[in-house]
Amino acid sequence: MQLYLPIADIPVNVFLILAMGAAVGFVSGMFGIGGGFLMTPLLIFVGIAPAVAVASVASHIAASSFSGAISYWRRRAIDPVLAVVLLSGGSLGTALGVWTFTLLRSLGQLDLMIATSYVILLTTVGGLMFWEGLRALLRARRGGPVTTRRPGSHVWIHGLPLKMRFKRSKIYLSVIPVVVIGLAIGFIGAVMGIGGGFILVPLLIYVLRVPTSTVIGTSMVLTLVTMVFATMLHAVTNHLVDAVLALILMVGGVTGAQFGARAGQKIRGEHLRLLLGLLVLAVGIRFAVELVIRPEDLFTVRETGVTG
Amino acid sequence: MTARLARTLGWLALAAVLAASPVRAERLIVSVSNHRVTVTPNYSGEELVLFGSVEKDATTPANRTYDLVVTVAGPRADMVTRRKERRFGIWINTDSRQFLQVPTYLALFSNRPFDAIASPEVQRRQQLGLNNVLLTQRVGPDYADVVPDDAFRSAFVRLRKQHGLYREETSAVTFLTPTLFRTGIPLPAEVPIGLYNVEIKLFAEGALVAKTDTAFEIVKVGFEQFVATTARQNGFVYGLVTAFMALMTGWMASIVFRKD
């Protein structure tokens, strides 16, 4: 069934978009991430302009993270104080990100910027996660003690001022790194059209040493708010949010996410992290390959503005 | 002195009048099958038909054979063509050319190859064929069109052709009788919204003998138009509604799929 998208200005197959939403939703539910880093490239692949894809995916991630956040809230797996502090940085970062996005779009380097940031972020994060997952797996196989206690309790981060207590997470920490992480995630999310969950979760675990019990729920709250904010800003400044496209993605996404979450509970933690690491790494490598091999066509044409 | 000047001016005026209204032996009458193409949710391209006839009068030489060239130009826009080059091991956009106010859709149809219709000089002057259409580029501080085999120009035309947005068919116009003609105007799904100008030029013995134009528009209607204009004019409200829609969808899902 073909449907004409009012903002993207192309007809798409509704079932294809719905299936893409469901597939990405499944993955996002399974790993507790937004899935924007998969969705945006898929949309670009079916012919939607990168700028429209980035802007519309933001609202799709908002929907899936909201449904996730609700269920985590019921299980009391969200640290509201931590979320608020992260958000104060996140909002600023998102605003900066949307501004940068508009600037890059006018400079004509948006595609390169999106592609290189994908490569750098995804290969690094994916590689690290994969490596960490592999090590945990080997440790478990050797029968060694699976360290649930996070090692190295004192790093330089703990020496920073402005400390405060995050009750639900049971940590006592300076607000500076928390705000900075929020800012970075907000910025990356707005520029790349991703929620940033797959970067935020490892950062919270390894840098801030937030316990795993509250990590995913809290990260979802941050994703939710930054993505709602990003949707608003993209709608106001770039007018590129395609609500029809977003709605199809959301419906597919939230449905897929439920099944994904159920599948995820059946898989062991280390395996899950290993799989996610592989997935992230694979997407990163795909982007890297695209940058390195000679493109089929060296020329591209893009409209820079309709004025007549 | 004054009398001479007046006489010169008089001749000039007469010349101008003659140039503006040459003796017309032929007249073109054309019509497009649909002057208003509406984009609805199930829109996936369309094909229009252009019909026309050549009206002769007493001064028309008998047994003249005609050639016809139809040029359809969509709304104009600035476009950028970029070329990728290998830098530091990766392929990035380096050089670029900006095309100023070029048609987003451009189709040239004729009844036989342009070379058979008119001399290269006439082809250039009348912009017959994609190679002769004026596509203004900004080259540094200058504005100019370049030779047809310029790398950026040919890449631009080739890419637009791949999307079906630029086309050139030298057998698309058919003469049903020596004076009655028709041609199809295919509009692919991704054609831009806006006003399309159709220019019809009639040639005989290698020279332009008559010219006329018509137009049609592609418009979004109903829901599509509502969404597009709201997004553009009320960005804030549009954003709020989209965000609210996202929250509702998420909330609904958490209710529908609630396990307990």
Side-chain angles (χ1 to χ4, degrees), chain A residues 2-7 9-11 59 62-63 66-67 70 74 107-109 112 116 224 228 231-232 235-236 239 241-244 246-247 250-251 254-255 258-259 262 265 291-295 297-308, chain B residues 39-43 75-84 86 89-93 98 101 104 151-152 155-156 158-160 189-190 193 220 223-224 227-228 231-232 235-236 238-240 242-243 245-247 249-251 253-254 257-259:
Chain A
Q2 294 283 315
L3 185 75
Y4 191 88
L5 299 176
I7 307 291
D9 276 340
I10 56 160
S59 60
F66 188 56
S67 88
I70 290 174
R74 288 204 197 103
L107 290 179
Q109 292 297 347
L112 175 72
T116 40
L224 167 66
V228 167
T231 304
M232 288 300 301
V236 174
H239 311 290
V241 180
D242 196 310
V244 177
L247 183 64
M250 284 172 201
V251 172
V254 293
T255 316
Q258 299 295 329
F259 294 100
R262 266 164 234 187
Q265 280 157 7
L291 279 181
V292 172
I293 61 161
R294 190 175 198 278
D297 202 319
L298 293 180
F299 290 90
T300 48
V301 172
R302 184 133 298 157
E303 230 166 88
T304 49
V306 183
T307 39
Chain B
V39 172
T40 49
N42 53 13
Y43 174 80
R76 287 170 184 270
D78 288 351
M79 279 185 253
V80 160
T81 303
R82 299 198 175 86
R83 179 163 59 191
K84 283 194 165 67
R86 200 180 184 132
I90 58 166
W91 291 89
I92 57 170
N93 290 327
Q98 194 170 20
Q101 295 298 297
T104 45
F152 282 93
F156 174 74
R158 177 171 51 82
L159 286 167
R160 298 301 283 181
E190 60 264 50
I193 305 298
K220 287 181 192 173
F223 179 70
E224 315 298 310
V227 173
R232 193 144 287 282
F236 186 76
Y238 181 84
L240 269 185
T242 314
M245 184 174 84
L247 296 186
T249 317
W251 181 65
S254 80
F257 294 103
R258 195 170 174 171
K259 269 183 267 174

Side-chain angles (χ1 to χ4, degrees), chain B residues 26 64-68 112 117 202-210:
Chain B
E26 284 91 358
R64 240 186 185 182
T65 54
Y66 296 111
D67 290 311
L68 197 84
R112 55 183 179 139
I117 295 176
L202 186 72
F203 291 84
E205 289 125 32
L208 180 72
V209 292

Side-chain angles (χ1 to χ4, degrees), chain B:
Chain B
M1 177 71 191
T2 358
R4 202 168 142 198
L5 185 69
R7 206 164 59 214
T8 320
L9 281 176
W11 277 115
L12 277 176
L14 184 63
V17 169
L18 281 176
S21 59
V23 186
R24 282 272 161 96
E26 284 91 358
R27 212 155 59 90
L28 281 168
I29 295 174
V30 293
S31 175
V32 187
S33 59
N34 188 359
H35 284 281
R36 195 163 179 268
V37 179
T38 52
V39 172
T40 49
N42 53 13
Y43 174 80
S44 58
E46 203 167 315
E47 170 142 354
L48 298 184
V49 179
L50 177 96
F51 270 106
S53 85
V54 182
E55 298 282 297
K56 299 179 182 182
D57 64 14
T59 61
T60 312
N63 294 328
R64 240 186 185 182
T65 54
Y66 296 111
D67 290 311
L68 197 84
V69 180
V70 178
T71 308
V72 187
R76 287 170 184 270
D78 288 351
M79 279 185 253
V80 160
T81 303
R82 299 198 175 86
R83 179 163 59 191
K84 283 194 165 67
E85 253 172 61
R86 200 180 184 132
R87 291 276 163 89
F88 314 112
I90 58 166
W91 291 89
I92 57 170
N93 290 327
T94 47
D95 212 356
S96 74
R97 289 288 166 77
Q98 194 170 20
F99 289 84
L100 301 160
Q101 295 298 297
V102 289
T104 45
Y105 174 91
L106 183 66
L108 290 134
F109 304 124
S110 64
N111 57 318
R112 55 183 179 139
F114 299 116
D115 287 333
I117 295 176
S119 65
E121 173 55 27
V122 174
Q123 284 183 46
R124 201 158 37 241
R125 211 165 12 165
Q126 295 299 333
Q127 304 194 24
L128 306 186
L130 287 175
N131 280 344
N132 292 310
V133 166
L134 189 70
L135 298 172
T136 313
Q137 280 187 35
R138 179 185 287 157
V139 187
D142 295 328
Y143 298 89
D145 194 3
V146 288
V147 288
D149 55 358
D150 167 65
F152 282 93
R153 191 192 200 276
S154 53
F156 174 74
V157 170
R158 177 171 51 82
L159 286 167
R160 298 301 283 181
K161 264 183 170 170
Q162 267 172 23
H163 288 270
L165 293 168
Y166 273 30
R167 45 181 79 219
E168 176 182 280
E169 278 155 52
T170 52
S171 58
V173 178
T174 44
F175 274 94
L176 306 171
T177 71
T179 58
L180 192 66
F181 58 86
R182 81 179 282 281
T183 184
I185 303 173
L187 300 169
E190 60 264 50
V191 288
I193 305 298
L195 189 71
Y196 286 66
N197 283 306
V198 186
E199 199 173 40
I200 302 101
K201 288 175 176 169
L202 186 72
F203 291 84
E205 289 125 32
L208 180 72
V209 292
K211 186 165 103 167
T212 185
D213 42 33
T214 179
F216 63 90
E217 59 174 346
I218 301 182
V219 287
K220 287 181 192 173
V221 288
F223 179 70
E224 315 298 310
Q225 188 202 20
F226 173 73
V227 173
T229 48
T230 313
R232 193 144 287 282
Q233 286 161 11
N234 297 309
F236 186 76
V237 178
Y238 181 84
L240 269 185
V241 171
T242 314
F244 183 71
M245 184 174 84
L247 296 186
M248 284 307 289
T249 317
W251 181 65
M252 294 275 281
S254 80
I255 287 182
V256 172
F257 294 103
R258 195 170 174 171
K259 269 183 267 174
D260 40 58

Side-chain angles (χ1 to χ4, degrees), chain A residues 131-285:
Chain A
W131 176 241
E132 195 279 330
L134 206 63
R135 267 198 342 198
L137 203 69
L138 287 175
R139 246 196 334 263
R141 184 153 299 171
R142 259 190 264 116
V146 183
T147 46
T148 42
R149 175 89 202 101
R150 291 142 281 143
S153 52
H154 262 279
V155 278
W156 60 271
I157 280 174
H158 294 86
L160 292 170
L162 291 171
K163 285 203 165 189
M164 80 181 272
R165 201 169 291 282
F166 298 98
K167 275 207 192 101
R168 187 144 319 157
S169 304
K170 300 188 185 70
I171 47 170
Y172 182 60
L173 196 67
S174 160
V175 295
I176 295 169
V178 185
V179 171
V180 170
I181 287 177
L183 194 118
I185 299 293
F187 182 82
I188 293 168
V191 174
M192 295 170 59
I194 58 176
F198 73 98
I199 314 166
L200 181 61
V201 171
L203 279 178
L204 291 182
I205 295 178
Y206 300 112
V207 178
L208 300 186
R209 312 219 178 280
V210 177
T212 328
S213 58
T214 55
V215 159
I216 294 177
T218 310
S219 119
M220 274 192 174
V221 174
L222 182 77
T223 311
L224 167 66
V225 180
T226 50
M227 285 297 113
V228 167
F229 197 51
T231 304
M232 288 300 301
L233 285 172
H234 276 301
V236 174
T237 57
N238 294 312
H239 311 290
L240 289 173
V241 180
D242 196 310
V244 177
L245 173 65
L247 183 64
I248 307 171
L249 290 177
M250 284 172 201
V251 172
V254 293
T255 316
Q258 299 295 329
F259 294 100
R262 266 164 234 187
Q265 280 157 7
K266 293 197 185 89
I267 304 175
R268 283 203 1 235
E270 308 90 85
H271 290 164
L272 211 58
R273 267 177 295 175
L274 193 71
L275 275 177
L276 178 58
L278 262 179
L279 182 72
V280 173
L281 194 62
V283 178
I285 289 172

Side-chain angles (χ1 to χ4, degrees), chain A residues 15 25-26 44 47 51 66 78 97 101 110-111 118 122 158 161 170-171 205 212 233 271 291 296:
Chain A
F15 298 114
F26 185 85
I44 296 172
F66 188 56
I78 290 173
F101 182 86
L110 185 67
D111 295 5
Y118 265 110
L122 299 182
H158 294 86
K170 300 188 185 70
I171 47 170
I205 295 178
T212 328
L233 285 172
H271 290 164
L291 279 181
E296 244 172 71

